[in-house]
């Protein structure tokens, strides 16, 4: 059947507001959203928690935090769309004119530590899309794809998910059309194929 999704953003875990925290995700959130007619939620997750060190992946991040959220949502017939979030790109960056809570999240610190000023998050993201290398000599895009592959493997065949939002607000200075054609779209295609090869065909 055709399903019309009526959705909301469900934020917090990307900033470390995990299950069990004082104001962390809770089952009653989904009961409330269902009462409003919501049947889909975009749930923000973060690469920095999935791959805290180059090539070192933490599936417990999904088990402890995303799995309960998916179960609570499913109990109210709400589909979950995991979304790889970034805000100011990484903890390496932030708005120095704002309070500390505006420090960045998203890319792991090992992708940028000691390499940029706190304001150079656009530069870091542009270099990510241009094929910047990780400390192990592989590209950061390959590592990012591996993080998504972990998510896909964990949720392959799980029909409580409605799809995947591959990258929040990907950007680079310069010509947007060229960036989208030459950098963004090829990366998204590669991640999509990694998801499908891992058995996640949502």
């Amino acid at each position: 059947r055709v399903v019309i999704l009526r959705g909301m953003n469900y934020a917090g875990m990307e900033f470390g507001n995990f299950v069990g925290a004082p104001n962390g995700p809770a089952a009653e959130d989904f009961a409330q959203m269902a009462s409003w007619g919501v049947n889909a939620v975009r749930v923000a997750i973060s690469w920095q928690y999935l791959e805290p060190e180059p090539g070192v992946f933490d599936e417990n991040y999904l088990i402890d935090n995303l799995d309960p959220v998916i179960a609570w949502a499913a109990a109210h017939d709400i589909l979950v769309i995991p979304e790889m979030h970034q805000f100011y790109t990484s903890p390496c960056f932030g708005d120095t004119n704002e309070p500390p809570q505006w420090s960045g999240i998203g890319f792991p610190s090992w992708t940028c530590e000691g390499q940029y000023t706190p304001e150079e998050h656009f530069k870091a993201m542009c270099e990510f899309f241009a094929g910047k290398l990780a400390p192990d000599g592989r590209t950061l895009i390959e590592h990012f794809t591996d993080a998504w592959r972990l998510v896909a493997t964990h949720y392959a065949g799980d029909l409580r998910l409605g799809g995947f939002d591959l990258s929040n607000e990907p950007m680079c200075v310069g010509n947007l059309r060229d960036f989208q054609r030459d950098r963004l779209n090829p990366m998204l295609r590669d991640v999509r194929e990694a998801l499908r090869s891992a058995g996640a065909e949502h």
Side-chain angles (χ1 to χ4, degrees), residues 58-79:
D58 185 6
E59 192 173 4
N60 287 326
Y61 169 63
L62 300 174
I63 294 168
D64 296 339
N65 295 288
L66 192 53
D67 283 4
V69 165
I70 291 171
W72 293 331
H76 297 281
D77 297 320
I78 296 174
L79 290 170

Side-chain angles (χ1 to χ4, degrees), residues 74-108:
H76 297 281
D77 297 320
I78 296 174
L79 290 170
V80 169
I81 301 169
E83 171 262 324
M84 200 72 80
H85 202 82
Q86 65 82 24
F87 177 76
Y88 284 115
T89 306
S90 165
C92 298
F93 308 104
D95 190 332
T96 54
N97 297 314
E98 294 286 353
Q101 64 263 32
W102 292 111
S103 61
I105 58 95
F107 292 25

Side-chain angles (χ1 to χ4, degrees), residues 104-115:
I105 58 95
F107 292 25
S109 295
W110 55 262
T111 66
C112 53
E113 220 157 30
Q115 302 170 45

Side-chain angles (χ1 to χ4, degrees), residues 16-198:
N17 192 29
F18 296 150
V19 172
N23 294 303
E28 53 266 29
D29 298 342
F30 296 89
Q32 184 177 42
M33 286 189 281
S35 74
W36 297 336
V38 169
N39 65 3
V41 289
R42 175 183 183 255
V43 177
I45 59 175
S46 177
W47 178 19
Q48 71 189 70
Y49 303 119
L50 288 164
E51 191 181 9
E53 300 292 336
V56 177
F57 294 91
D58 185 6
E59 192 173 4
N60 287 326
Y61 169 63
L62 300 174
I63 294 168
D64 296 339
N65 295 288
L66 192 53
D67 283 4
V69 165
I70 291 171
W72 293 331
H76 297 281
D77 297 320
I78 296 174
L79 290 170
V80 169
I81 301 169
E83 171 262 324
M84 200 72 80
H85 202 82
Q86 65 82 24
F87 177 76
Y88 284 115
T89 306
S90 165
C92 298
F93 308 104
D95 190 332
T96 54
N97 297 314
E98 294 286 353
Q101 64 263 32
W102 292 111
S103 61
I105 58 95
F107 292 25
S109 295
W110 55 262
T111 66
C112 53
E113 220 157 30
Q115 302 170 45
Y116 305 93
T117 68
E119 297 82 15
E120 289 184 315
H121 58 280
F122 283 123
K123 179 181 178 183
M125 189 171 285
C126 286
E127 291 183 354
F128 165 79
F129 282 106
K132 182 183 175 183
L133 299 181
D136 62 2
R138 300 174 69 227
T139 67
L140 294 180
I141 288 176
E142 288 176 294
H143 281 271
F144 180 80
T145 304
D146 286 344
W148 263 121
R149 189 177 285 109
L150 174 68
V151 176
T153 301
H154 189 78
Y155 295 110
D158 192 333
L159 297 181
R160 300 174 300 171
L161 274 62
F164 300 98
D165 187 350
L166 303 183
S167 179
N168 179 63
E169 297 178 0
M171 61 189 78
C172 182
V173 294
N175 186 292
L176 178 60
R177 183 177 298 172
D178 291 347
F179 163 67
Q180 196 163 4
R181 181 192 65 223
D182 300 333
R183 303 292 191 191
L184 177 60
N185 289 347
M187 187 274 284
L188 295 178
R189 284 194 293 268
D190 288 346
V191 174
R192 179 190 65 195
E193 292 310 310
L195 290 168
R196 290 179 175 174
S197 68

